[in-house]
């Protein structure tokens, strides 16, 4: 019997793109494209079992071993500090994690900087490295609103094209890091399913654009 | 005394099996109190995985802690070791914040420590006991071994900042070759050094194959001086000796060399290792040489040890229906 590898894919646009990469790499599972309410899809011949999960949950499924491998954004891995192997940069879902503020913003070091973000840990680490005192405001969405309404001075968020920022008269102040989707593996699974996981990694590597 | 053999839980069976294993190899049981002076941890805070410790003020005003670790106490309480090797094992509850839930957790830990004139034989004995411990807990287990000295020496030859070292270590521990390339580029490390660091990410698995690749990468490399090669050779030999010991014991199938096993370079040195059991997502056993911790605690001797985290093993189905036999 072929060894089965459980793969956690992020629901949504990025997930579709990533599944296409798996398909191109030789790990197709046609039933995944059917419109139904099934949650798990498998192709025993290719030795893969896919399931869709919320993008921010992929790393949890992998870290806790429910999935052997998965695809998660670097932003999520950084924020959660997930203890997983990061085997490949898939070069999709690309954007930047950046600090943005009102156009022409300059930081007055006499005052505590108020930072609104979904990525509390990333922001804290970034400012700790420069010894800046910050007040973190944890928001779950519409982060761009915070500086406009005076809730925060700046925001730390993902910036893809910068259109949303521009339309709200905000601009990038600092780029923290480049973000893209990464292939991750559970550390223990990697020890016992090394051959198969390495084979999938190599095949995916060959279809990266 | 009669004890009903059916009263043992799987966790208790595992715990007693491990204790019996260590005792049969001449290790003595070390017992400690639940509490330790907070000062011990305050001065070695980054040795602990988390800086969060449960503290309370004792009736005499002394700030005390519920122990988050056993090794520090063993080192503290063994001052005059001389030329002997002290071999101890313990079975204690420790209190730590779980990195996953961020809440305090009582963790049952079994482990052993050797302090003193540690030689290759002692290192091999500890590693074999780690492998046997894994076999007690699981039918399918792996022990990943690394030599931290190779990484330390390579870092020294790269002349990089502590921050870059930390970033590189993180990439190596997560097998992140693409991230490592980026860190190397931004730290202006030449392609030759970057390639060597990448070797530590891409070379893992079968010990004989890994050793051949390491020898080719480090000992036949014109980047290094004769002295540097001697030093790398010594570190590779330390791994070779372990591989030989495992072959002799017939345990070589469970041994991997894997540099993604890393520990804090401020405390650990030399051989470090981690045990994995099939179907268990987290490492179950973790250990290594900690001569640097000994030095920080003003001890002149060397040390090696490991801890087994039985709680990570889940239901321990292997012990279902297993009868406990009380022997001598």
């Amino acid at each position: 019997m072929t060894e089965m590898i459980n793969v956690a894919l992020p629901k949504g646009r990025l997930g579709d793109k990533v599944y296409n990469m798996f398909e191109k790499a030789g790990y197709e599972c046609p039933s995944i494209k059917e419109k139904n309410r099934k949650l798990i899809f498998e192709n025993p011949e290719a030795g893969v079992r896919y399931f869709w999960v919320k993008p921010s949950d992929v790393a949890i499924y992998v870290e806790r071993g429910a999935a052997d491998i998965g695809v998660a954004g670097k932003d999520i891995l950084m924020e959660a500090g997930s203890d997983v192997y990061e085997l490949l940069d898939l070069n999709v879902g690309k954007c930047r994690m950046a600090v943005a503020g009102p156009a022409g913003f300059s930081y007055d070091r006499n005052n505590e900087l108020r930072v609104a973000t979904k990525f509390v840990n990333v922001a804290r680490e970034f400012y700790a490295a420069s010894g800046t005192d910050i007040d973190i405001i944890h928001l779950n969405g519409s982060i761009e609103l915070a500086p406009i309404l005076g809730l925060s001075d700046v925001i730390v968020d993902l910036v893809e094209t910068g259109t949303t920022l521009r339309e709200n008269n905000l601009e990038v102040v600092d780029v923290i890091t480049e973000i893209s989707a990464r292939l991750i593996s559970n550390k223990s699974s990697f020890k016992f399913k090394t051959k198969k996981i390495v084979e999938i990694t190599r095949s995916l590597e060959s279809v990266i654009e | 005394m009669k004890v009903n053999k059916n009263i043992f839980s799987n966790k208790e069976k595992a715990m007693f099996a491990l204790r019996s294993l260590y005792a049969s190899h001449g290790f003595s049981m070390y017992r400690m109190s639940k509490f330790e002076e907070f000062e011990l941890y305050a001065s070695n805070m980054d040795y602990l995985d988390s800086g969060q410790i449960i503290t309370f003020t004792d009736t005499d005003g002394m700030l005390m802690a519920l122990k988050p670790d056993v090794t520090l106490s063993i080192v503290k309480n063994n001052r005059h070791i001389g030329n002997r090797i002290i071999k101890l094992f313990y079975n204690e509850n420790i209190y730590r914040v779980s990195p996953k839930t961020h809440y305090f957790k009582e963790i049952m830990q079994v482990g052993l420590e050797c302090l003193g004139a540690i030689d290759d034989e002692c290192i091999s004995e500890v590693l074999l006991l780690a492998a046997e411990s894994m076999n007690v807990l699981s039918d399918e287990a792996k022990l990943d071994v690394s030599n931290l000295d190779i990484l330390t020496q390579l870092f020294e030859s790269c002349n990089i900042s502590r921050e870059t070292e930390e970033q590189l270590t993180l990439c190596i521990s997560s097998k992140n070759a693409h991230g490592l390339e980026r860190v190397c580029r931004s730290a202006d490390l030449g392609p030759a050094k970057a390639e060597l660091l990448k070797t530590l990410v891409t070379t893992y698995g079968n010990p004989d194959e890994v050793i051949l690749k390491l020898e080719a990468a480090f000992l036949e490399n014109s980047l290094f001086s004769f002295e540097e090669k001697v030093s790398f050779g010594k570190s590779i030999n330390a791994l070779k000796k372990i591989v030989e010991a495992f072959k002799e014991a017939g345990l070589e199938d469970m041994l991997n060399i894997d540099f993604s096993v890393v520990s804090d370079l401020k405390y650990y040195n030399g051989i470090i290792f981690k045990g994995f059991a099939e179907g268990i997502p987290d490492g179950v056993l973790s250990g290594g040489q900690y001569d640097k911790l000994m030095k920080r605690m003003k001890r002149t001797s060397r040390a090696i040890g490991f801890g087994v985290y039985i709680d990570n093993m889940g239901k321990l189905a292997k012990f279902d229906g297993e009868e406990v036999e009380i022997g001598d």
Side-chain angles (χ1 to χ4, degrees):
Chain A
M1 208 183 86
T2 330
E3 188 172 44
M4 291 298 277
I5 298 288
N6 288 327
V7 189
L9 292 176
K11 265 186 211 164
R13 210 155 40 110
L14 175 66
D16 294 339
K17 242 187 209 170
V18 168
Y19 168 72
N20 288 337
M21 289 179 77
F22 273 88
E23 190 178 67
K24 230 168 138 186
Y27 302 94
E28 73 284 347
C29 183
S31 62
I32 209 167
K33 289 189 170 166
E34 289 164 13
K35 290 258 174 289
N36 56 35
R37 283 168 184 260
K38 263 174 72 174
L39 295 170
I40 298 174
F41 306 88
E42 61 178 52
N43 177 353
E45 277 147 43
V48 282
R49 183 182 292 122
Y50 295 104
F51 39 88
W52 297 111
V53 302
K54 201 173 168 190
S56 53
D57 288 343
V58 170
I60 299 169
Y61 277 79
V62 174
E63 192 176 21
R64 299 233 173 195
D68 298 307
I69 59 172
V71 174
K74 182 66 180 173
D75 50 325
I76 288 155
L77 298 175
M78 283 170 72
E79 180 61 19
S82 310
D83 187 21
V84 292
Y85 287 142
E86 189 183 315
L87 301 175
L88 208 55
D89 181 347
L90 295 171
N91 210 23
V92 289
K94 285 169 83 171
C95 57
R96 291 173 296 166
M97 174 86 75
V99 179
F105 172 81
S106 76
Y107 167 48
D108 167 14
R109 285 192 86 89
N110 292 320
N111 293 317
E112 193 177 51
L113 184 70
R114 294 169 307 152
V115 183
T117 186
K118 232 189 316 192
F119 304 100
V120 173
N121 296 327
V122 175
R124 194 173 285 136
E125 216 169 286
F126 176 73
Y127 283 105
S130 62
T132 309
D133 259 350
I134 58 166
D135 176 17
I136 292 223
I137 303 153
H138 186 196
L139 296 178
N140 292 303
S142 305
I143 318 286
E144 296 86 359
L145 255 180
I148 298 169
L149 298 180
L151 176 62
S152 76
D153 300 313
V154 291
I155 60 171
V156 167
D157 205 9
L158 297 179
V159 180
E160 213 169 326
T161 56
T163 314
T164 317
L165 289 185
R166 270 192 302 278
E167 283 174 358
N168 290 293
N169 201 27
L170 300 171
E171 62 185 20
V172 170
V173 179
D174 252 317
V175 173
I176 299 179
T177 185
E178 303 289 330
I179 301 290
S180 55
R182 311 291 162 95
L183 176 72
I184 57 173
S185 161
N186 174 273
K187 289 189 170 180
S188 183
S189 296
F190 190 87
K191 310 293 160 196
F192 297 97
K193 299 178 175 176
T194 315
K195 210 174 147 203
K196 184 84 187 178
I197 294 176
V198 171
E199 180 195 295
I200 295 175
T201 309
R202 294 286 154 263
S203 309
L204 280 172
E205 197 172 15
S206 68
V207 299
I208 291 175
E209 283 167 5
Chain B
M1 184 185 74
K2 263 192 177 176
V3 178
N4 182 338
K5 60 189 177 190
N6 300 317
I7 62 162
F8 294 99
S9 68
N10 284 355
K11 194 167 144 183
E12 283 164 336
K13 287 178 196 170
M15 188 176 89
F16 287 120
L18 291 174
R19 282 165 59 168
S20 304
L21 172 69
Y22 307 145
S24 72
H25 280 78
F27 284 71
S28 328
M29 179 99 176
Y30 179 87
R31 286 182 200 277
M32 61 179 288
S33 61
K34 258 194 173 51
F35 314 132
E36 185 71 79
E37 284 174 21
F38 177 71
E39 171 57 26
L40 174 66
Y41 308 115
S43 46
N44 294 289
M45 203 52 100
D46 45 3
Y47 171 73
L48 306 168
D49 290 340
S50 146
Q52 285 157 303
I53 295 171
I54 305 175
T55 55
F56 65 97
T57 309
D58 215 335
T59 48
D60 60 359
M62 183 78 83
L63 186 61
M64 302 296 285
L66 252 71
K67 58 181 188 296
D69 167 84
V70 181
T71 309
L72 287 171
S73 304
I74 290 185
V75 176
K76 186 191 92 173
N77 296 330
N78 284 281
R79 285 173 191 281
H80 306 292
I81 301 166
N83 285 330
R84 43 191 189 130
I85 298 179
I86 298 177
K87 295 178 171 185
L88 302 167
F89 72 93
Y90 58 85
N91 185 176
E92 297 281 343
N93 282 327
I94 55 172
Y95 304 87
R96 287 186 185 171
V97 171
S98 154
K100 285 185 180 149
T101 61
H102 304 291
Y103 286 105
F104 275 105
K105 211 177 160 186
E106 184 181 59
I107 300 165
M108 219 264 292
Q109 195 183 351
V110 185
L112 61 81
E113 313 288 348
C114 289
L115 289 82
I118 307 297
D119 53 12
D120 291 340
E121 201 183 324
C122 178
I123 293 173
S124 291
E125 184 188 13
V126 169
L127 268 102
L128 286 170
L129 277 172
E132 284 180 48
S133 305
M134 290 305 300
N135 282 338
V136 164
L137 300 175
S138 165
D139 291 330
E140 201 57 57
K142 295 275 181 203
L143 191 72
D144 277 10
V145 180
S146 169
N147 190 340
L148 216 46
D149 290 346
I150 296 181
L151 187 62
T152 315
Q153 282 162 243
L154 188 52
F155 280 165
E156 275 168 16
S157 79
C158 290
N159 197 16
I160 42 176
S161 67
R162 170 60 66 86
E163 197 191 9
T164 307
E165 271 185 24
E166 279 170 8
Q167 288 172 347
L168 290 170
T169 307
L170 189 64
C171 290
I172 291 169
S173 73
S174 57
K175 292 194 185 296
N176 180 349
H178 48 275
L180 185 120
E181 275 172 22
R182 272 169 217 157
V183 177
C184 287
R185 265 202 306 277
S186 64
D188 268 338
L189 272 176
K193 289 277 166 67
E195 197 51 46
L196 272 175
L197 283 161
K198 206 174 154 190
T199 308
L200 298 186
V201 177
T202 54
T203 312
Y204 52 80
N206 180 289
D208 288 326
E209 288 169 24
V210 171
I211 283 173
L212 282 178
K213 284 184 195 163
L214 289 177
E215 285 177 336
F218 288 90
L219 306 185
E220 293 158 30
N221 194 325
S222 56
L223 267 182
F224 299 118
S225 66
F226 176 74
E227 287 76 22
E228 283 175 313
K229 282 183 192 169
V230 169
S231 189
F232 279 120
K234 223 170 126 189
S235 304
I236 296 172
N237 271 341
L239 288 170
K240 271 184 177 170
K241 286 196 177 123
I242 292 162
V243 179
E244 278 163 27
F246 271 69
K247 280 183 180 165
E248 247 172 64
L251 292 170
E252 69 270 30
D253 285 350
M254 63 185 297
L255 187 69
N256 280 331
I257 295 179
D258 195 318
F259 291 96
S260 70
V261 182
V262 291
S263 292
D264 194 325
L265 300 173
K266 290 194 290 299
Y267 295 95
Y268 289 91
N269 59 289
I271 301 297
I272 52 167
F273 48 95
K274 203 162 184 174
F276 293 91
E278 189 173 29
I280 303 297
D282 299 303
V284 179
L285 179 152
S286 162
Q289 287 180 257
Y290 51 91
D291 302 347
K292 288 185 184 169
L293 170 67
M294 295 289 278
K295 214 170 171 185
R296 283 174 77 113
M297 290 179 76
K298 313 270 185 279
R299 302 289 184 272
T300 48
S301 45
R302 306 175 65 195
I304 182 169
F306 64 78
V308 185
Y309 301 92
I310 296 181
D311 291 328
N312 287 1
M313 279 299 299
K315 291 180 187 144
L316 281 157
K318 189 187 167 186
F319 290 91
D320 283 349
E322 184 112 346
E323 281 197 9
V324 176
E325 269 180 60
I326 311 279
D328 290 330

